[in-house]
Amino acid sequence: MNIFRLAGDMTHLMSILVLLLKIYATKSCSGISLKTQELYALVFLTRYLDLFTDFISVYNTVMKLVFIGSSLAIVWCMRMHRTVKRSYDGQLDTFRHYFLVAACFLSALIVHEKFTFQEIFWAFSIYLEAVAILPQLVLLQRSGNVDNLTGQYVFFLGAYRALYILNWIYRYFTEQHFSRWIACISGLVQTALYADFFYYYFISWKNNSKLQLPA
Amino acid sequence: EAEAEVHDEL
């Protein structure tokens, strides 16, 4: 474990806490893409298949349970909770995310570390996480003004993978045979997808104005 | 046969 990875995990946790705060405090999920939440639940479920077979550390296991539990709770809440689901922007959240799932699964069948059930699903989860934010970014562009908590949620979600890139650079220089090309390249693509969001988020922070994504 | 290393990252 290094400071970059710990910071990355804490930033990721922060993004989830901000999202939970928004939904529970405002009893609303307006501006949140249910499809992105479903993709993230799938990412965690397919990435942590080794939850009960490989014990790394208490921290690792606890964080995996937190990520799986919170993502499923958010999907459940947006689908089933009487008050929350009424505020879901279903007519704006129309990204065809099943194509993302299919494309990522096909890619995982072609590019993976080892042709085993667990490794293919791990690669699938890495590719899917890289594109999982797309429905959310599309929804933000369509829904015009973005409320603070939603903006912070997306910001922390993007920042965590950028910190992971620093972690991979650090591990590359400090560990002999460290090679995580699948995660590294996918992480670069994932962070690049946030580039324009980060730009508008910075502008809104600098001018102390409402976050506006151009349509 | 390089055994697939355990993924120690989240």
Side-chain angles (χ1 to χ4, degrees), chain A residues 5 56 60 113 119 122 167-168 171 180, chain B:
Chain A
R5 182 143 66 98
I56 309 240
N60 188 273
E113 285 184 1
E119 281 304 315
W122 181 81
N167 151 65
W168 289 318
R171 292 188 76 176
R180 290 281 171 79
Chain B
E1 172 80 357
E3 58 105 24
E5 80 264 10
V6 170
H7 297 296
D8 62 347
E9 295 181 344
L10 289 173

